[in-house]
Amino acid sequence: MSDRILESLFLDQTLWSDVLEWGVRKGIVQSVLTYIQDPNGRAKLCEQIYTGEYPIEPPHTGYVKKEDGGERTFFINAPLTRLLFHAIYLWLMRHEGSMIHPACLSYHEGIGIGKIVQNVSRQITTLHPHGEPCVVGRKFDIHHYFDTIPRSVIHNALDKVEQHHGPSSVIALIRKYYDSDLYYDTRKGKIVESYQGIKQGCAVSSWFANVLLYELDAKLSALGGCYVRYSDDILFVGESYEKATTLLKEELQKIDLSLNEEKQEDIRSDRFVRFLGFDIRGGEITLSEKWVKHFQRQVDEITILNKPLIKQVRRLRKQTTEASEKRIQTLAGHAMRRLTQTLYWGNGTYSWGTLVLPIINRADDIRQLSTYCLDALRALYTGKTHIGGLGKPKQGGITRGKGRDVAYNRKATGKWLSQFTPLSAMWQLVGNKWLYRTLVNDLLLEEYPKYPITARQEGVSEEVLNRRYAQHLKSEPDGKK
């Protein structure tokens, strides 16, 4: 076999171990995972690619809501193709990392969104440490970047890969996939034909999103200041932001792309700017409205929106016996433990507490989030669930709506809630990973738990509980991490 890319791809055992682990997280069916795990299965897959006989079915559409209220379409492939494309994506990221400019930070292993946001905040503070409020930079968004990037630009990137490693059946497979305009529209219920660009949702699209604008990244970085690109989101902080705007438009026009003028925004030293899910104002970092809503939804699903549990608590409240009170405390304790796991442990590697809590630094906002958790647990304990909600105006901190049951619940719960470790306390520990994980283990009273309560304790089926828990761990489509 003279196909260097194919050989390198299928001989890398570590890469395929990573692919299998990814497939488990994504919920790929067991039969497909077993096929990939089997050396004979991978050998057959390798042979199909080498001979050009690997069948790629048209992807089907999925939809996610965007923060601005719009909708994003992404494309989902068959399970085996998803695993194969993720393997190719990992190979490209590890062997063709030089095709990605250092200023492009999207989808890199070891570079989380939090680190990017913190660096941007530091740059704004450094470039404008004091003085009168003023414009210090600009934020941009490329209009329909994933959907409209010309096919010729995609092929140019693949040409460079083959220049480095020689012709490959792997690259031929990718070309074949991206030359097809067919996909299954799940809403129309039929196969349609329309150009899909780099097909957001496919794992390889993440690599394309990084490499296709290398020249643009290089020219904007040369202007000085702080230039950051995360896929189609661009931020430039520095005195040359006007020049950066002109240069950006010119470079995008060369490849038939344009800026989304509606999302273009000046970065001011005295106002919050929203970037990658966070709001930044100088050295201050807090959650965006989308993150706040997501946080409240996670808390509510475990507490006040857990209808079977709330119904059971209210029924027990009517009994007013010592046994019923003890049973309520047990049920509420299970929910408390589940909330602890959801916030502080997650899937054992990533959680809200480890990904988000270390980034935000506004103490008042932490207190609002912490208080909401406490009030939600109190509402579960009393059965009175009108506690108001959380809000986040762009130019301001996290707010809290009034709830008619809040005052009563706070008086009625007594010392029972002291068992819960609030966010405000955990916030002080996130800088020490060992101490943080040790405390969370102690709180959960077992090591590496799958989930904290049984279906019988919550009063729902095991299948329903597993499905709910899986929703907490669900990530973005393959092209988003």
Side-chain angles (χ1 to χ4, degrees), residues 2-6 49-50 88 91-92 95-96 98-99 154-176 179 207-208 211:
S2 59
D3 191 329
R4 291 166 55 192
I5 294 178
L6 187 64
I49 296 172
Y50 184 66
I88 296 172
W91 188 93
L92 288 167
H95 292 266
E96 288 295 344
S98 61
M99 291 180 65
I154 297 173
H155 281 292
N156 287 341
L158 295 175
D159 289 343
K160 290 180 181 178
V161 176
E162 291 193 306
Q163 288 170 13
H164 298 159
H165 303 274
S168 172
S169 55
V170 175
I171 301 304
L173 178 70
I174 297 301
R175 292 186 194 274
K176 178 181 177 181
D179 281 342
W207 181 79
F208 279 125
V211 305

Side-chain angles (χ1 to χ4, degrees), residues 379-429:
L380 177 62
Y381 179 79
T382 64
K384 297 182 179 294
T385 58
H386 295 281
I387 60 171
L390 294 168
K392 177 60 178 68
K394 186 171 181 179
Q395 297 305 326
I398 297 174
T399 59
R400 176 74 182 278
K402 293 182 179 179
R404 66 171 184 259
D405 294 331
V406 172
Y408 171 85
N409 290 344
R410 290 179 180 178
K411 292 179 180 179
T413 47
K415 297 181 179 180
W416 166 80
L417 206 54
S418 62
Q419 302 171 56
F420 180 73
T421 303
L423 278 172
S424 53
M426 297 300 290
W427 186 47
Q428 306 296 325
L429 301 178

Side-chain angles (χ1 to χ4, degrees), residues 325-392:
E325 177 64 24
K326 187 175 181 179
R327 178 60 179 159
I328 289 171
Q329 291 186 11
T330 300
L331 292 171
H334 293 322
M336 181 189 297
R337 187 161 172 265
R338 188 176 176 196
L339 181 60
T340 296
Q341 175 165 344
T342 297
L343 294 178
Y344 304 144
W345 187 269
N347 64 2
T349 303
Y350 302 110
S351 70
W352 194 92
T354 57
L355 290 177
V356 179
L357 204 55
I359 310 306
I360 53 180
N361 56 19
R362 283 174 53 93
D364 287 345
D365 290 350
I366 294 291
R367 280 193 289 270
Q368 287 281 27
L369 297 173
S370 184
T371 301
Y372 186 81
C373 290
L374 295 171
D375 284 337
L377 288 169
R378 292 184 182 106
L380 177 62
Y381 179 79
T382 64
K384 297 182 179 294
T385 58
H386 295 281
I387 60 171
L390 294 168
K392 177 60 178 68

Side-chain angles (χ1 to χ4, degrees), residues 68-80:
D68 60 7
E71 190 175 62
R72 177 182 291 111
T73 301
F74 60 93
F75 298 91
I76 307 169
N77 295 292
L80 182 57

Side-chain angles (χ1 to χ4, degrees), residues 93-298:
M93 291 294 286
R94 295 171 186 180
H95 292 266
E96 288 295 344
S98 61
M99 291 180 65
I100 304 172
H101 193 275
C104 179
L105 302 176
S106 41
Y107 319 124
H108 286 273
E109 293 180 358
I111 303 179
I113 287 176
K115 291 181 180 179
I116 300 171
V117 169
Q118 287 176 323
N119 181 56
V120 169
S121 176
R122 284 192 294 268
Q123 291 292 335
I124 294 175
T125 304
T126 301
L127 292 171
H128 190 78
H130 51 73
E132 293 297 322
C134 64
V135 177
V136 296
R138 189 162 289 160
K139 187 183 78 166
F140 310 92
D141 179 85
I142 303 175
H143 188 62
H144 292 305
Y145 176 46
F146 283 84
D147 308 330
T148 60
I149 190 78
R151 186 172 279 135
S152 60
V153 179
I154 297 173
H155 281 292
N156 287 341
L158 295 175
D159 289 343
K160 290 180 181 178
V161 176
E162 291 193 306
Q163 288 170 13
H164 298 159
H165 303 274
S168 172
S169 55
V170 175
I171 301 304
L173 178 70
I174 297 301
R175 292 186 194 274
K176 178 181 177 181
Y177 177 69
Y178 278 99
D179 281 342
S180 173
D181 293 336
L182 297 176
Y183 66 92
Y184 182 81
D185 189 316
T186 54
R187 288 179 172 170
K188 294 180 179 179
K190 64 179 182 179
I191 294 286
V192 299
E193 186 172 4
S194 178
Y195 184 60
Q196 302 145 55
I198 55 176
K199 304 181 192 263
Q200 186 172 14
C202 169
V204 183
S205 72
S206 301
W207 181 79
F208 279 125
N210 284 350
V211 305
L212 297 183
L213 299 180
Y214 185 96
E215 289 77 11
L216 180 149
D217 293 335
K219 291 181 179 180
L220 285 171
S221 296
L223 295 177
C226 173
Y227 166 70
V228 175
R229 181 169 71 85
Y230 196 96
S231 189
D232 56 349
D233 293 318
I234 294 174
L235 184 142
F236 186 92
V237 177
E239 296 179 355
S240 303
Y241 67 88
E242 290 287 5
K243 188 175 181 180
T245 304
T246 302
L247 182 60
L248 184 54
K249 290 179 179 179
E250 292 174 350
E251 291 299 312
L252 290 175
Q253 190 174 16
K254 292 178 182 178
I255 52 175
D256 298 325
L257 294 176
S258 62
L259 292 175
N260 186 339
E261 301 288 348
E262 293 181 359
K263 292 187 177 181
Q264 185 170 303
E265 179 183 358
D266 285 345
I267 302 171
R268 294 184 57 86
S269 59
D270 61 333
R271 295 178 66 82
F272 282 107
V273 61
R274 190 156 292 168
F275 189 59
L276 303 181
F278 292 87
D279 287 350
I280 310 167
R281 182 174 63 186
E284 294 181 289
I285 304 174
T286 188
L287 298 180
S288 68
E289 181 183 12
K290 180 181 179 180
W291 265 111
V292 171
K293 289 181 178 179
H294 178 66
F295 173 85
Q296 181 179 331
R297 183 169 63 251
Q298 283 191 305

Side-chain angles (χ1 to χ4, degrees), residues 3 5 16 32 37 42 44 46-47 73 82-83 85 88 125 139 242 275 283 304 309 328 382 386 416 424 442 465 467:
D3 191 329
I5 294 178
W16 286 100
V32 176
Q37 190 174 21
R42 291 203 302 274
K44 183 178 180 181
C46 179
E47 181 67 21
T73 301
R82 289 180 69 188
L83 290 174
F85 280 177
I88 296 172
T125 304
K139 187 183 78 166
E242 290 287 5
F275 189 59
I304 61 176
L309 195 54
I328 289 171
T382 64
H386 295 281
W416 166 80
S424 53
D442 289 344
L465 185 61
R467 187 165 65 248

Side-chain angles (χ1 to χ4, degrees), residues 14-63:
T14 301
L15 181 146
W16 286 100
S17 294
D18 293 341
V19 169
L20 286 168
E21 183 180 335
W22 176 88
V24 171
R25 292 201 308 269
K26 288 290 184 176
I28 300 294
V29 293
Q30 185 62 44
S31 59
V32 176
L33 293 174
T34 302
Y35 182 82
I36 287 292
Q37 190 174 21
D38 183 358
N40 292 326
R42 291 203 302 274
K44 183 178 180 181
L45 179 61
C46 179
E47 181 67 21
Q48 285 181 312
I49 296 172
Y50 184 66
T51 58
E53 297 175 354
Y54 180 79
I56 301 182
E57 298 178 356
H60 65 271
T61 56
Y63 307 91

